[in-house]
Amino acid sequence: MGRYPLQQRHLDALTFMELDGGLVIYDYVWPYWDGQSRIFDVSVLDDVRLLPNLERLNVTSMLAGTDLKPLRTARKLERVTLGRIGTWQNLDALLGLPRLTHLSLFKSNLRSRFRNPVLQALRDKGVNVTILR
């Protein structure tokens, strides 16, 4: 990335971000990547604040941290899909997203098997919440 530094105009244009180790882009960046090393992993979501027009976030893999608090800055976020990475922390951060319409996550990602008050509050706000098994 040092040869092709990102400028703010590039970040402003980004509306969809997908963290998934199976994507072809990694072959272009490093053709010898084995798909297992953690060189492309994102440690935290803090820099989401640099993506003012982010509308969709799909996290399948490659995210080391599970704290969703940094998503509070993603005011245009409409759709979030959270994969089986671990137990998501600060799920209530999603309550402050004014444009959120869809949330999908796995049952195994929830701290409790019982009714989750945050998910219910999201549903009450009109968010389509899908729990995947």
Side-chain angles (χ1 to χ4, degrees):
M1 292 306 292
R3 254 170 57 188
Y4 306 103
L6 292 174
Q7 297 175 4
Q8 188 59 49
R9 66 183 169 90
H10 299 120
L11 300 174
D12 290 346
L14 191 105
T15 59
F16 175 64
M17 183 167 65
E18 183 165 19
L19 302 177
D20 183 347
L23 298 174
V24 176
I25 188 68
Y26 300 104
D27 292 334
Y28 292 104
V29 178
W30 187 20
Y32 305 105
W33 184 50
D34 62 3
Q36 300 300 316
S37 66
R38 301 203 177 278
I39 194 164
F40 292 113
D41 281 10
V42 175
S43 55
V44 293
L45 292 170
D46 292 359
D47 287 340
V48 164
R49 64 185 166 71
L50 301 173
L51 308 172
N53 296 309
L54 186 65
E55 296 173 357
R56 296 182 333 180
L57 175 64
N58 184 358
V59 180
T60 302
S61 61
M62 304 183 75
L63 179 63
T66 58
D67 185 1
L68 298 177
K69 197 180 292 185
L71 293 183
R72 288 180 178 163
T73 62
R75 307 299 290 168
K76 293 186 179 179
L77 204 53
E78 298 172 1
R79 293 177 165 268
V80 175
T81 301
L82 302 173
R84 290 186 173 154
I85 292 177
T87 301
W88 295 103
Q89 300 171 34
N90 296 309
L91 199 59
D92 62 326
L94 302 178
L95 289 168
L97 300 177
R99 295 189 182 180
L100 188 66
T101 60
H102 290 80
L103 170 65
S104 298
L105 71 162
F106 286 88
K107 188 175 185 178
S108 60
N109 296 119
L110 300 172
R111 289 180 187 244
S112 170
R113 290 193 226 159
F114 304 105
R115 191 173 197 102
N116 185 303
V118 174
L119 297 181
Q120 187 57 50
L122 287 168
R123 286 184 183 106
D124 292 345
K125 285 180 56 170
V127 176
N128 180 352
V129 177
T130 303
I131 306 297
L132 308 166
R133 297 184 188 272

